[in-house]
């Protein structure tokens, strides 16, 4: 691309890495600055050639993309892109990019942290000390232990493998479920999630969100996991049937859960907030300054590559490069 700077719309807050990285190369329009976002989009729709999506709560569906007839590329923050209709984008010659790999280790660290917190009740123990209860009695021994558990990873992808490596170092047997076996994985593969849930006592969920995985952890899977079962959800709230999970926790059909994500976040069901045998994180898998900056930089680098007429760095599988001709 030569000559004039291309027009790019930023959807999300003005993060310094994104704004600083893009402004020298493109004309950036800030959707979140607009008092009337609809009118703002209308006034720019014919010019905008790329979107930088830094706020994943914005649904980028067919209706939204259709508003920009010259749209070439959507550079989205986060590895998950279930907020974008990537299939429609691919069919209409629009490339979607995400931010994979740069967050694998950070999210895997969080997953292990959440697992340990859930099993050993560390947040509850911290609350116990702060409440001044230690002087009266020791915190009770926890019934659950990581020792002798088997962890079934739901989705042995980039992050799932980083979690598996950590579990191995802890001496914990790992098995996994996904649609296809991973050729390079030495762990036992289960083609059916329900069969894996029956065989393990701990599920670590780290699949993409979206229609294909909607409620895949349902009542039957939770019952198969059993009364000693612990569910860790690092994926998306949509992957777990939340009412079924609440019921299973209330009736002790499973032992406990550690949740980083929720069906309607940032709203968390009152029933979960009132339970003391769950651990709840505010979707912080990747949220350190260094990792978020690396993710922001990849949002920038994908746009810069496009602006320079080069292939995208990290296109999603639904929108391979070169794009379908329009
Ligand atoms: P990835 O490398 O694409 O791995 C996804 C894995 O899920 C693959 O093993 C895939 O294998 C499996 N999978 C996909 N669809 C499936 C289905 N319908 N049924 C069963 N298995 C399925 O993705 P990643 O980079 O590891 O990221 C995974 C997800 O983690 C993201 O999409 C995001 O939603 C979530 N995430 C959460 C946080 C957080 O802060 N909590 C941070 C980062 C990512 P097959 O294709 O063989 O099925
Ligand atoms: C982000 C995530 O925090 O990358 C993902 O898929 O879930 C997280 O790393 C999230 O995208 C922010 O909205």
């Amino acid at each position: 691309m030569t000559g004039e700077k291309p027009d790019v719309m930023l959807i999300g807050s003005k993060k310094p890495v994104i704004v600083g990285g893009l402004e020298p190369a493109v004309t950036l329009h800030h959707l979140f600055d607009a008092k009337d976002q609809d009118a703002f989009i209308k006034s720019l729709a014919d010019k905008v050639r790329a979107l930088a999506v830094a706020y994943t709560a914005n649904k980028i569906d067919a209706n939204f993309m259709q508003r920009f007839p010259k749209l070439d590329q959507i550079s989205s923050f986060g590895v998950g892109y279930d907020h974008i209709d990537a299939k429609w984008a691919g069919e209409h010659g629009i490339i979607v990019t995400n931010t994979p790999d740069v967050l694998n280790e950070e999210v895997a660290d969080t997953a292990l942290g959440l697992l340990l917190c859930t099993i050993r009740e560390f947040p509850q123990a911290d609350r116990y000390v702060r409440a001044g209860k230690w002087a009266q009695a020791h915190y009770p021994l926890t019934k659950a232990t990581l020792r002798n558990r088997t962890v079934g990873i739901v989705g042995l992808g980039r992050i799932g493998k980083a979690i598996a490596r950590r579990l191995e170092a802890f001496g914990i047997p790992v098995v996994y479920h996904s649609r296809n076996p991973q050729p390079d994985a030495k762990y036992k593969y289960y083609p059916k999630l329900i069969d894996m849930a029956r065989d393990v006592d701990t599920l670590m969920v780290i699949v993409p969100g979206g229609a294909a995985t909607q409620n895949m952890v349902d009542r039957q899977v939770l019952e198969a996991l059993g009364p000693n079962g612990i569910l860790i959800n690092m994926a998306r709230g949509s992957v777990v049937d939340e009412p079924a999970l609440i019921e299973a926790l209330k009736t002790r059909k499973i032992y406990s859960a550690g949740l980083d994500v929720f069906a309607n976040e940032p709203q968390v069901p009152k029933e979960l907030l009132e339970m003391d045998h769950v651990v709840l994180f505010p979707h912080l898998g990747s949220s350190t300054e260094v990792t978020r900056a690396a993710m922001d930089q990849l949002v920038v680098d994908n746009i810069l590559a496009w602006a320079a007429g080069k292939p995208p760095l990290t296109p999603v599988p639904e929108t391979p490069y070169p794009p379908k001709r329009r």
Side-chain angles (χ1 to χ4, degrees):
M1 212 170 290
T2 51
E4 256 179 57
K5 286 182 180 182
D7 290 273
V8 175
M9 187 174 287
L10 173 63
I11 301 175
S13 58
K14 293 182 187 170
K15 297 199 266 182
V17 172
I18 295 189
V19 174
L22 288 180
E23 264 179 348
V26 308
T27 302
L28 205 52
H29 304 282
H30 300 279
L31 179 64
F32 281 20
D33 274 355
K35 283 210 176 71
D36 180 344
Q37 293 193 355
D38 190 53
F40 185 74
I41 290 172
K42 261 190 204 136
S43 71
L44 289 164
D46 277 339
K47 291 208 291 188
V48 167
R49 307 267 314 275
L51 304 176
V53 182
Y55 185 64
T56 50
N58 266 69
K59 290 275 167 251
I60 312 290
D61 57 12
N63 282 338
F64 188 81
M65 288 183 266
Q66 265 166 347
R67 299 190 70 180
F68 303 93
K70 295 188 180 138
L71 193 58
D72 284 338
Q73 181 149 331
I74 299 173
S75 179
S76 183
F77 172 84
V79 66
Y81 53 95
D82 44 311
H83 54 293
I84 302 177
D85 187 343
K87 183 168 175 287
W88 190 93
E91 287 163 359
H92 293 81
I94 301 164
I95 295 282
V96 175
T97 63
N98 61 346
T99 60
D101 289 319
V102 293
L103 75 184
N104 291 350
E105 305 304 324
E106 200 76 77
V107 179
D109 289 349
T110 310
L112 262 291
L114 182 52
L115 177 65
L116 287 172
C117 282
T118 307
I119 292 183
R120 294 290 312 279
E121 304 175 10
F122 294 144
Q124 294 91 324
D126 175 271
R127 292 198 289 270
Y128 186 89
V129 172
R130 288 170 199 277
K133 294 182 183 169
W134 191 12
Q136 282 94 58
H138 277 295
Y139 187 77
L141 305 183
T142 54
K143 288 196 177 60
T145 169
L146 184 57
R147 298 302 105 208
N148 304 321
R149 281 187 177 264
T150 299
V151 175
I153 299 186
V154 185
L156 193 74
R158 291 168 292 231
I159 300 171
K161 283 176 185 155
I163 294 172
R165 282 199 308 276
R166 284 160 173 74
L167 288 167
E168 271 194 80
F170 277 68
I172 302 302
V174 168
V175 298
Y176 74 104
H177 161 74
S178 51
R179 288 166 303 182
N180 311 290
Q182 286 288 318
D184 56 339
K186 55 189 177 206
Y187 318 111
K188 179 174 177 182
Y189 170 65
Y190 285 85
K192 287 197 183 144
L193 174 56
I194 189 93
D195 292 340
M196 184 169 84
R198 241 178 244 120
D199 281 4
V200 304
D201 45 27
T202 310
L203 282 183
M204 170 68 72
V205 186
I206 187 72
V207 283
T213 56
Q214 175 91 31
N215 288 345
M216 73 188 280
V217 178
D218 59 9
R219 186 173 55 78
Q220 285 86 352
V221 169
L222 293 168
E223 281 178 11
L225 190 59
N228 196 27
I230 289 182
L231 173 78
I232 305 296
N233 187 8
M234 287 299 300
R236 285 290 181 265
S238 61
V239 177
V240 175
D241 179 342
E242 211 167 66
L245 172 64
I246 291 168
E247 189 56 29
L249 285 162
K250 266 190 192 160
T251 55
R252 306 281 168 158
K253 288 213 165 85
I254 68 166
Y255 187 78
S256 176
L259 308 171
D260 188 44
V261 286
F262 301 86
N264 189 29
E265 59 187 55
Q267 307 308 320
V268 176
K270 193 166 166 278
E271 290 102 321
L272 289 175
L273 295 175
E274 286 169 352
M275 284 178 197
D276 204 40
H277 65 309
V278 294
V279 175
L280 311 173
F281 282 0
H283 196 153
L284 45 67
S286 65
S287 61
T288 61
E289 290 181 0
V290 69
T291 293
R292 287 296 176 83
M295 293 162 70
D296 288 345
Q297 189 60 50
L298 197 42
V299 170
V300 169
D301 291 345
N302 272 300
I303 297 260
L304 294 184
W306 160 79
K310 293 182 185 159
L313 304 177
T314 50
V316 303
E318 295 88 340
T319 70
Y321 184 86
K324 199 176 160 190
R325 281 173 72 90
R326 275 183 278 196

